[in-house]
């Protein structure tokens, strides 16, 4: 069975704001759908394992597509959000791709997780693909290969400073993703706010915002088909 691994946050609340956060539903689901459609088995992993909170904003009616509703009402699929794997339950050799889904919760618990960093590097070293969308790209920030950041000099994207400002959340972030990428030598690319956009550089694929999950999946599947 072909397998893909989706990394999702466990973090459920802004640290300095009484506002819920968590995973952004479509950022998980659009990628998962495209891989299910190609015959993949998809596993969810989170820093702590178990329950994955959903950002309530991400399941508002205006945010949900027909496919989103289809998966939201699928008990077997939704059960994955209650029973994610922990990093020590993951065998990195089983996966062709790792994908970091976003939602603001990712900012607090996906950046500095040593086990997830090691799993990601193992998949990459096994000729696999590293990918992310939106704030999920924080999971790529601290991955090093031979003492150098894996994204140093690479073209990448993620949730932009202007999108954060438009969202009204800049002042509540411990850091800004665009700035962090630039600080470690990545070549940060972006399109207009809220437009679908994905960047591929070798076996690293990143998407800008919640609109970009399908675009990331398409690029990753294209790379895999050529391996």
């Amino acid at each position: 069975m072909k397998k893909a691994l989706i990394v999702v946050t466990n973090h459920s609340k802004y640290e300095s704001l009484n506002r819920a956060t968590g995973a952004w539903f479509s950022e998980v689901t659009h990628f998962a759908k495209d891989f299910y459609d190609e015959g993949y088995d998809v596993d969810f992993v989170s820093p702590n394992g178990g329950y994955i909170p959903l950002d309530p904003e991400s399941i508002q009616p205006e945010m949900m597509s027909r496919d989103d509703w289809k998966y939201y009402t699928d008990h077997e699929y939704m059960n994955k959000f209650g029973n994610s794997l922990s990093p020590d339950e993951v065998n990195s050799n089983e996966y062709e791709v790792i994908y970091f889904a976003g939602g603001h919760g990712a900012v607090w618990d996906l950046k500095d997780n040593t086990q997830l960093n090691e799993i990601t590097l193992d998949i990459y070293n096994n000729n696999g693909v590293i990918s992310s969308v939106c704030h999920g790209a924080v999971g790529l920030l601290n991955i090093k290969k031979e003492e150098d950041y894996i994204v140093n000099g690479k073209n990448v994207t993620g949730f932009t400073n202007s999108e954060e400002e438009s969202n009204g959340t800049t002042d509540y972030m411990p850091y800004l993703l665009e700035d962090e990428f630039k600080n470690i030598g990545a070549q940060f690319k972006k399109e207009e706010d809220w437009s679908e956009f994905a960047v591929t550089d070798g076996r690293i694929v990143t998407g800008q915002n919640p609109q970009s999950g399908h675009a990331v999946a398409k690029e990753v599947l294209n790379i895999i088909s050529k391996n």
Side-chain angles (χ1 to χ4, degrees), residues 107-115 117 138-139 142 175:
V107 172
W108 284 279
D109 68 352
L110 296 190
K111 181 182 177 185
D112 298 312
N113 189 287
T114 302
Q115 286 180 292
N117 289 347
V138 302
N142 280 348
Y175 57 88

Side-chain angles (χ1 to χ4, degrees), residues 34-225:
D34 290 348
F35 273 77
Y36 285 136
D37 288 350
E38 293 298 321
Y40 277 77
D41 189 13
V42 179
D43 288 334
F44 290 10
V45 63
S46 61
N48 299 325
Y51 173 69
I52 294 167
L54 288 177
D55 190 313
E57 294 295 324
S58 74
I59 53 174
Q60 294 299 307
E62 64 271 18
M63 297 294 179
M64 298 283 280
S65 68
R66 181 178 298 178
D67 281 336
D68 292 331
W69 283 118
K70 175 184 174 182
Y71 279 91
Y72 187 73
T73 56
D74 183 319
H75 179 81
E76 184 177 352
Y77 176 72
M78 292 305 297
N79 198 42
K80 289 179 176 288
F81 289 91
N83 297 279
S84 66
L85 300 173
S86 63
D88 56 9
E89 293 177 298
V90 170
N91 178 355
S92 58
N93 293 321
E94 296 180 356
Y95 301 96
E96 296 180 63
V97 56
I98 187 168
Y99 168 77
F100 288 82
H104 278 83
V107 172
W108 284 279
D109 68 352
L110 296 190
K111 181 182 177 185
D112 298 312
N113 189 287
T114 302
Q115 286 180 292
L116 289 174
N117 289 347
E118 290 174 353
I119 290 167
T120 305
L121 188 58
D122 283 347
I123 291 171
Y124 189 73
N125 286 339
N126 287 336
N127 205 38
V129 181
I130 298 174
S131 60
S132 66
V133 75
C134 202
H135 288 93
V138 302
L140 279 59
L141 288 172
N142 280 348
I143 299 170
K144 290 186 176 182
K145 184 178 174 68
E146 297 174 356
E147 302 303 315
D148 197 9
Y149 290 105
I150 201 165
V151 296
N152 183 27
K154 298 285 189 180
N155 295 318
V156 298
T157 192
F159 205 61
T160 66
N161 289 356
S162 58
E163 286 170 324
E164 201 74 75
E165 187 67 29
S166 174
N167 199 51
T169 41
T170 300
D171 292 342
Y172 306 106
M173 292 294 97
Y175 57 88
L176 297 177
L177 177 59
E178 179 178 339
D179 292 347
E180 291 297 297
F181 267 132
K182 291 176 179 177
N183 289 342
I184 60 175
Q187 303 298 311
F188 192 86
K189 308 295 182 181
K190 56 187 174 181
E191 292 290 338
E192 293 295 321
D193 288 359
W194 317 114
S195 60
E196 181 182 73
F197 182 57
V199 174
T200 299
D201 194 327
R203 288 181 289 110
I204 298 176
V205 182
T206 49
Q208 182 171 318
N209 47 36
Q211 289 75 20
S212 305
H214 285 307
V216 173
K218 180 180 178 180
E219 291 293 319
V220 172
L221 287 164
N222 183 52
I223 294 169
I224 292 172
S225 71

